[in-house]
Amino acid sequence: MTHFIKLTIQFSAQIFVTCLLFFSCQSPDKKEAEAIPDKQWWKEAVVYQLYPRSFKDSDGDGIGDLKGIISKLDYVKSLGVDVIWLNPIYSSPNDDNGYDISDYRNIMKDFGTMQDFDDLLREMHKRKLKLVMDMVLNHSSDEHEWFKQSRSSRTSPYRNYYHWWNAEKGKPTPRYSMFDINHDAWKYDSLTNAYYLHYFSRKQPDLNWENPALRKEVYDMMKFWAAKGIDGFRLDAFQFSAKDTTFPVFPVGYEKQLTKYYAMGPHLHDYLKEMNAEVFSKYPVMTVAEGAGNSFEDAHNLVDAERKELNMAYAFEGVDIAKYGGYSLLHFKEVFSRWDSAFAEKGWLSVFLSNHDQARMVSRFGNDSPEFRELSSKMLTTFIMTMRGTPYYYNGDELGMTNAGFTKIEDYRDMPALNEYKYQKSIGGDIQKFMQRTQFESRDNGRTPFQWDSTKNAGFSTGKPWLKVNPNYKTINQAAQEKDPNSTLNYFRKIVKFRKENPVLVYGKYTLLDKNNPDVYAYTRELNGVKFLVLLNFTGKVVNVNTGLDLAKAELILSNYEGSGEAGKLRGYEARVFRL
């Protein structure tokens, strides 16, 4: 055994540890990895979604930019997060706030230059922050050179980069557009006497993934960014990319179940496997797609490792529960428990309650009144950080930022909301009801400028912000919360650190307790002999909780209230985490 060395290290007269080594001792990290199967950095990461247009303006034009982000990287690092998911920053006419890309290899002038991007990536990596780029691959802008060439002639080599229906065939099979003013996804173009397909706005024509030349262009573009050293890709609306190009007739009312008819089309998995082989497998990147199909089978087919497609699912069923008029906690518990169960042994999930396409988390799922805003925000954060899956956390939620309370259509900037307002007026819809619903649900609620301090425009910009600042910025802002050890901001930092110190919260088994309690979400997380109990009151009243567990010896290790409270009861929006 010439290659083996036997070492006996004496720690005390009674304790001996013997290591049998091949060249070196087995490291603690390796031992931990063996105790936790399939450890991955992207499973343990906390992802911070940063909306660049609203984060920080460096030049006074009222629009957030890359230099502004660089100036605030120390703040982001202080949160304890690992990854920044950056919404699109590519060249764009900005019909849909950057989700209409006119040049995938350049930076939108509003945001800066490619040098600014290179500086941002370097400064992030210097702080050990990773960058996930948002890839919009279902559609481009109608101002992209591909589309300009495509619409120029039926014989253009770019014609089949998009979906066209020649008018001499008659009107195309109806398709519903989510953003179009008339909800018609086919737009007639007189230049070549044909219709083009757009699931979103008229300025967002859908790319034709059936075309190998288009796919190669996309993969080459993704390699361009991967070669720069980015750390991951988020694929926007990709579940809609594959179409049945025979365009069959859908049943009446299909638009009420768009995902069922639009998502997971033919060859989608072939495209993802090809993308993985051409791009993902060649770079150390994490990958996630917006949406997870229509079933657990769909979701698993996207992310199960042996399929070589994506790393994790990003399912909308949970975030979509909160509606104008309220939601049921029993339904909430059922949805999150069902998804956890489906991925308990295989695959991986994202856990989130907000993003750039939603109103504010505390206004939708909690209570944004002065009495309960901080408590409910902390409670919801506790939920996200103690569930199995990779947490995605939207910028500003760590401050408990709320919905904006806009009352006039002129206050809004979101194109779908403005188009729907015109549509409702054209059909004689109930405008008052529409405005009430929009006030609660509009995406602009989540896009108001980040509230840095109590100075003009919340410290976001010295110029006029592109979207109005929430008027409550004088009391809800980062500067004020830095000074308060019990602020929502400092609670966020505390629980992120807590999650990182306890692998049980990442990998541990999840068990729902007190299932039929309509007010309390109670569950345990358990791994390798470590067991935590999480109790969350989703109401503003004192409620009972019955876990069936003996808590006499349980240690309260985290709470959003001072003091331990009464056994068996939870105060309004209280969160408690016990070590059992």
Side-chain angles (χ1 to χ4, degrees):
M1 295 180 65
T2 57
H3 294 295
F4 289 84
I5 302 170
K6 189 175 183 181
L7 299 176
T8 303
I9 304 173
Q10 183 172 8
F11 285 100
S12 69
Q14 299 169 323
I15 302 175
F16 294 89
V17 178
T18 302
C19 291
L20 190 64
L21 302 179
F22 182 72
F23 295 119
S24 64
C25 265
Q26 191 180 54
S27 70
D29 287 345
K30 187 174 180 183
K31 290 178 182 176
E32 187 181 5
E34 289 175 352
I36 303 172
D38 198 24
K39 278 171 64 74
Q40 300 285 350
W41 71 263
W42 41 265
K43 292 181 178 180
E44 300 173 15
V46 175
V47 180
Y48 185 73
Q49 184 187 354
L50 194 156
Y51 196 69
R53 181 163 287 268
S54 299
F55 196 63
K56 177 63 178 174
D57 172 23
S58 70
D59 59 9
D61 66 356
I63 298 171
D65 48 45
L66 299 183
K67 286 182 177 178
I69 296 171
I70 293 170
S71 74
K72 294 296 185 180
L73 283 179
D74 286 340
Y75 165 76
V76 177
K77 179 65 178 177
S78 79
L79 299 176
V81 300
D82 307 277
V83 179
I84 291 177
W85 156 19
L86 194 61
N87 289 94
I89 55 172
Y90 319 99
S91 295
S92 168
N94 223 40
D95 184 57
D96 185 26
N97 278 17
Y99 281 87
D100 49 316
I101 299 172
S102 56
D103 184 351
Y104 287 91
R105 298 187 187 221
N106 217 329
I107 302 296
M108 191 191 306
K109 290 180 180 177
D110 286 347
F111 293 147
T113 66
M114 189 61 78
Q115 184 60 56
D116 294 335
F117 173 81
D118 292 340
D119 292 344
L120 172 64
L121 186 61
R122 184 184 67 253
E123 290 300 319
M124 284 182 60
H125 285 169
K126 190 186 295 184
R127 293 165 174 80
K128 294 183 167 50
L129 291 168
K130 296 181 183 292
L131 177 63
V132 168
M133 297 283 280
D134 210 329
M135 286 281 145
V136 187
L137 303 179
N138 174 71
H139 49 267
S140 76
S141 165
D142 65 343
E143 297 182 33
H144 195 291
E145 190 60 30
W146 296 342
F147 189 73
K148 290 178 182 178
Q149 294 295 327
S150 182
R151 72 182 290 257
S152 68
S153 165
R154 289 190 180 185
T155 59
S156 166
Y158 290 91
R159 184 68 169 183
N160 289 330
Y161 275 41
Y162 298 87
H163 296 279
W164 290 94
W165 181 289
N166 293 335
E168 61 266 23
K169 292 165 56 180
K171 284 196 172 183
T173 310
R175 286 294 181 266
Y176 183 89
S177 167
M178 289 167 263
F179 289 179
D180 186 78
I181 193 168
N182 297 316
H183 296 297
D184 183 355
W186 290 103
K187 176 75 169 70
Y188 178 70
D189 187 46
S190 61
L191 192 62
T192 57
N193 190 34
Y195 299 84
Y196 68 84
L197 183 71
H198 60 94
Y199 278 179
F200 294 89
S201 90
R202 296 176 184 181
K203 291 185 66 62
Q204 294 170 292
D206 283 30
L207 293 164
N208 180 11
W209 275 79
E210 291 286 298
N211 185 345
L214 177 277
R215 298 201 302 273
K216 184 179 185 307
E217 292 254 30
V218 170
Y219 303 151
D220 286 348
M221 174 273 294
M222 295 176 79
K223 290 176 191 175
F224 167 81
W225 291 104
K228 278 184 170 288
I230 71 166
D231 306 288
F233 295 100
R234 182 254 186 190
L235 308 185
D236 176 73
F238 196 76
Q239 64 176 344
F240 300 139
S241 296
K243 275 88 171 172
D244 181 344
T245 53
T246 65
F247 294 107
V249 175
F250 290 151
V252 174
Y254 76 91
E255 68 275 6
K256 297 182 175 115
Q257 304 176 76
L258 276 182
T259 303
K260 178 180 178 181
Y261 292 97
Y262 279 11
M264 312 303 291
H267 305 300
L268 184 80
H269 293 294
D270 296 332
Y271 304 151
L272 282 171
K273 288 178 190 295
E274 185 179 65
M275 187 184 293
N276 189 301
E278 292 293 322
V279 185
F280 302 155
S281 64
K282 298 178 180 179
Y283 301 91
V285 293
M286 66 170 273
T287 56
V288 58
E290 180 185 27
N294 294 298
S295 66
F296 293 138
E297 181 182 4
D298 282 347
H300 273 291
N301 287 342
L302 289 169
V303 303
D304 285 355
E306 69 273 11
R307 292 181 59 85
K308 293 182 168 54
E309 295 188 25
L310 300 167
N311 291 147
M312 70 181 88
Y314 190 91
F316 284 111
E317 190 175 3
V319 78
D320 286 344
I321 289 171
K323 304 289 186 186
Y324 177 63
Y327 69 98
S328 160
L329 180 63
L330 293 177
H331 181 210
F332 185 95
K333 293 195 287 186
E334 186 274 328
V335 167
F336 279 97
S337 297
R338 178 160 37 84
W339 277 92
D340 181 90
S341 175
F343 283 78
E345 303 298 329
K346 198 177 187 183
W348 198 252
L349 290 171
S350 310
V351 180
F352 63 100
L353 289 177
S354 60
N355 58 37
H356 65 288
D357 281 333
Q358 310 290 342
R360 280 292 173 186
M361 177 178 77
V362 72
S363 298
R364 297 182 72 228
F365 288 97
N367 185 330
D368 60 11
S369 70
E371 182 182 4
F372 289 119
R373 181 189 61 82
E374 291 189 14
L375 287 167
S376 64
S377 178
K378 293 175 183 178
M379 183 275 293
L380 294 167
T381 298
T382 307
F383 167 73
I384 294 171
M385 294 298 166
T386 57
M387 286 292 283
R388 177 164 45 191
T390 299
Y392 283 68
Y393 205 85
Y394 186 63
N395 62 195
D397 284 344
E398 73 273 22
L399 305 179
M401 282 179 61
T402 69
N403 279 359
F406 293 153
T407 57
K408 304 191 298 289
I409 195 66
E410 293 78 17
D411 293 333
Y412 294 92
R413 295 292 177 269
D414 190 31
M415 173 262 297
L418 298 176
N419 282 351
E420 187 63 22
Y421 177 80
K422 294 174 186 175
Y423 175 72
Q424 290 297 326
K425 289 196 78 172
S426 73
I427 64 170
D430 187 334
I431 296 299
Q432 183 179 4
K433 185 176 179 181
F434 167 78
M435 289 300 296
Q436 289 171 344
R437 192 179 191 94
T438 301
Q439 186 180 61
F440 178 78
E441 294 180 347
S442 173
R443 304 191 301 179
D444 278 341
N445 284 307
R447 300 176 179 186
T448 56
F450 195 96
Q451 293 164 209
W452 292 106
D453 55 42
S454 61
T455 64
K456 186 179 180 181
N457 299 326
F460 162 71
S461 175
T462 57
K464 181 182 178 182
W466 74 276
L467 180 65
K468 281 187 177 181
V469 175
N470 192 317
N472 64 17
Y473 75 88
K474 291 190 176 180
T475 53
I476 302 173
N477 62 72
Q478 181 247 339
Q481 293 194 25
E482 290 288 357
K483 302 170 187 173
D484 178 4
N486 295 316
S487 66
T488 56
L489 171 58
N490 283 315
Y491 185 87
F492 177 78
R493 288 177 172 136
K494 181 179 180 181
I495 200 166
V496 168
K497 183 173 183 287
F498 178 65
R499 181 181 178 88
K500 289 178 176 297
E501 291 170 348
N502 293 280
V504 61
L505 296 176
V506 179
Y507 298 103
K509 176 186 176 183
Y510 160 94
T511 303
L512 177 66
L513 304 174
D514 206 3
K515 177 181 177 182
N516 296 319
N517 191 323
D519 304 317
V520 174
Y521 200 157
Y523 50 93
T524 57
R525 301 296 311 282
E526 188 172 4
L527 179 72
N528 296 338
V530 178
K531 190 172 184 178
F532 287 160
L533 168 66
V534 181
L535 303 177
L536 306 169
N537 180 1
F538 273 69
T539 77
K541 61 188 180 184
V542 176
V543 296
N544 296 317
V545 56
N546 182 13
T547 63
L549 301 173
D550 181 6
L551 302 184
K553 295 182 180 179
E555 178 190 3
L556 179 65
I557 50 178
L558 193 71
S559 174
N560 61 347
Y561 270 85
E562 293 290 328
S564 58
E566 187 179 349
K569 293 184 183 295
L570 292 174
R571 292 162 285 190
Y573 293 102
E574 185 166 11
R576 294 186 201 167
V577 181
F578 293 91
R579 190 192 308 273
L580 301 179

